[in-house]
Amino acid sequence: DIVMTQSPLSLPVTPGEPASISCTSSQSLLHSSGYHYLHWYLQKPGRSPQLLIYLGSHRASGVPDRFSGSGSGTDFTLKISRVEAEDVGVYYCMQALQTPLTFGGGTKVEMK
Amino acid sequence: EVQLVESGGGLVQPGGSLRLSCAASGFTFSDSSMNWVRQAPGKGLEWVANIKQDGTEKYYVDSVKGRFTISRDNAKNSLFLQMNSLRADDTAVYYCSRDRFTPQNWGQGTLVTVSS
């Protein structure tokens, strides 16, 4: 199974400041199509997960452009250019290259 | 608008069974593979199972193999999860989600509690 590791576990943020979350996989997530099967989700308090970034760097529909994803191989990063109050919640990375699909442990983002 | 609505959760004793359903709308259900993903109270997300568009291929996380069965009815736009031999560590909110390679839409979840 592919193991997904996120850091940090908790991320206190200041509104208007940037934030960054790291995700590392135990093996490359590069598919033969040339895409990395790495996705980012945000789970707001009391809500279902919502897709933010798919295939490593593509913003999902309706996601603000302050969110961006980057990385390749086994190392990926989610960046928020200027954090807003509505961005609080738990962020998960997930690999969909092979079954079982696996998630990182989550990064809790909260306002300072 | 894509909608996924789970139902069938509840309280069940250890060793018991439960059948979850997911009603899909707003997209061509028969064109999409489907997943079940669960989240234990206060914990992270765990993928449980996937079923191909035509139901011919099914995949499971090791911890549920032999106990859970994923199925679908494309004529009724519905996804199911039959859960047998339930254990305390199966207690979780169960979500259905669309698409094996990019799970992009999720339901609101249904809570399964396994306890005596």
Side-chain angles (χ1 to χ4, degrees):
Chain A
D1 298 0
I2 298 176
V3 177
M4 305 298 291
T5 304
Q6 279 182 243
S7 62
L9 201 62
S10 175
L11 183 59
V13 296
T14 301
E17 294 296 305
S20 179
I21 299 171
S22 174
C23 176
T24 301
S25 56
S26 60
Q27 63 188 74
S28 175
L29 300 183
L30 180 62
H31 186 262
S32 56
S33 63
Y35 291 105
H36 288 85
Y37 276 82
L38 183 283
H39 312 311
W40 290 98
Y41 295 88
L42 166 60
Q43 186 174 32
K44 294 184 179 182
R47 304 292 296 273
S48 306
Q50 61 183 92
L51 180 65
L52 290 177
I53 302 288
Y54 63 97
L55 299 177
S57 61
H58 302 268
R59 266 190 306 276
S61 176
V63 173
D65 61 8
R66 64 179 180 273
F67 290 93
S68 64
S70 63
S72 63
T74 61
D75 295 297
F76 300 89
T77 302
L78 175 71
K79 291 183 179 178
I80 310 173
S81 59
R82 296 173 304 279
V83 175
E84 296 190 6
E86 65 182 23
D87 299 337
V88 298
V90 181
Y91 290 76
Y92 295 95
C93 61
M94 188 204 81
Q95 69 80 20
L97 183 68
Q98 63 184 51
T99 58
L101 309 187
T102 47
F103 293 87
T107 295
K108 187 173 185 178
V109 171
E110 48 197 357
M111 292 296 159
K112 284 183 179 175
Chain B
E1 180 194 2
V2 172
Q3 282 203 325
L4 298 168
V5 180
E6 301 92 339
S7 60
L11 175 63
V12 60
Q13 292 188 337
S17 299
L18 214 52
R19 188 189 195 215
L20 306 183
S21 300
C22 171
S25 61
F27 64 101
T28 305
F29 182 71
S30 58
D31 286 348
S32 292
S33 65
M34 298 294 294
N35 306 292
W36 286 101
V37 178
R38 67 184 178 183
Q39 185 170 36
K43 302 297 184 181
L45 299 166
E46 180 185 38
W47 173 84
V48 173
N50 171 270
I51 185 168
K52 203 176 173 182
Q53 288 87 327
D54 59 5
T56 56
E57 294 180 25
K58 305 174 185 182
Y59 306 92
Y60 300 92
V61 68
D62 282 350
S63 60
V64 308
K65 282 180 183 175
R67 301 188 299 124
F68 290 12
T69 302
I70 189 171
S71 63
R72 64 191 296 160
D73 184 339
N74 286 346
K76 295 183 178 179
N77 292 343
S78 295
L79 175 72
F80 306 101
L81 186 67
Q82 177 67 43
M83 304 186 294
N84 298 330
S85 303
L86 282 161
R87 312 185 304 220
D89 62 358
D90 294 318
T91 294
V93 173
Y94 285 73
Y95 299 99
C96 63
S97 71
R98 174 189 171 202
D99 198 274
R100 145 76 175 84
F101 290 100
T102 307
Q104 53 189 298
N105 305 109
W106 297 60
Q108 85 291 346
T110 187
L111 176 62
V112 172
T113 303
V114 184
S115 174
S116 55

